[in-house]
Amino acid sequence: MSERGTVVYESHRARWLESMINKHDWRLGVEIGVFKGPTFKHLVTSCPNLQLIGVDVFYPDKDWRRQNITTTEELNKQPPTRWYQGLIEFAEQYPDRAILWRDFSNKAHSRVKDDTLDFVFIDASHDFDSVYLTIYYTNFCSCIDTSYRRTNTD
């Protein structure tokens, strides 16, 4: 099911993530770059044991970059995207499992304890610099419980 820009659609990556989450009984994950929320919504509704944290600025990238917004406090003074309220309403239906953080990924990682996450799905800005910064400087990777990878090979 797909309609660009307006309706939640089911993507191949959402279905793949769903299968991995349910297969390995992952309980806590983060999606960096929620945008309008199709993957976030799909995972929350399809993975009943999952608590998912969605991190996004919910503000146009070109605007926060042009305005040189670099802190969570500055970001939250700006009006969010028009679809943000709908995502909040969705998350309220799953209060213990769907968590939204309006923040930069390089700031939000500090809110997660080390070795507590089962996975991090990076789907934020796709330019090289943004991906590089997310992977190497946000420390979300230190939050992943690596004991699974050390003891399981499937």
Side-chain angles (χ1 to χ4, degrees):
M1 57 179 114
S2 175
E3 185 177 325
R4 289 187 184 197
T6 57
V7 176
V8 174
Y9 62 94
E10 194 173 306
S11 72
H12 63 284
R13 67 178 165 221
R15 289 190 309 273
W16 180 83
L17 281 165
E18 172 193 350
S19 70
M20 294 300 292
I21 291 163
N22 289 328
K23 176 182 177 181
H24 299 292
D25 196 30
W26 290 340
R27 301 291 178 118
L28 179 59
V30 172
E31 178 181 2
I32 300 173
V34 175
F35 192 50
K36 294 182 179 181
T39 303
F40 184 82
K41 290 177 179 179
H42 178 86
L43 294 178
V44 169
T45 57
S46 302
C47 303
N49 297 322
L50 177 66
Q51 182 180 58
L52 186 60
I53 300 166
V55 178
D56 201 297
V57 295
F58 298 108
Y59 189 65
D61 286 353
K62 64 179 176 52
D63 292 342
W64 67 259
R65 287 183 173 140
R66 180 178 39 78
Q67 296 171 30
N68 198 30
I69 296 172
T70 59
T71 68
T72 305
E73 294 75 23
E74 292 171 323
L75 174 66
N76 284 309
K77 290 178 184 175
Q78 306 306 315
T81 56
R82 58 185 161 81
W83 53 83
Y84 179 67
Q85 185 58 42
L87 286 169
I88 293 293
E89 291 167 8
F90 170 82
E92 287 171 348
Q93 297 173 54
Y94 304 90
D96 297 326
R97 299 194 318 101
I99 300 161
L100 290 170
W101 292 346
R102 187 170 180 220
D103 207 346
F104 296 101
S105 59
N106 66 341
K107 307 289 186 213
H109 73 88
S110 65
R111 297 163 69 176
V112 179
K113 291 181 183 177
D114 287 357
D115 297 326
T116 58
L117 296 176
D118 294 310
F119 70 94
V120 175
F121 173 50
I122 301 172
D123 194 23
S125 296
H126 297 109
D127 62 277
F128 178 83
D129 290 340
S130 295
V131 173
Y132 181 85
L133 291 172
T134 298
I135 293 172
Y136 291 102
Y137 292 116
T138 64
N139 290 324
F140 265 115
C141 292
S142 69
C143 301
I144 297 174
D145 179 1
T146 57
S147 61
Y148 175 83
R149 286 183 284 168
R150 288 193 298 267
T151 59
N152 296 280
T153 57
D154 65 343

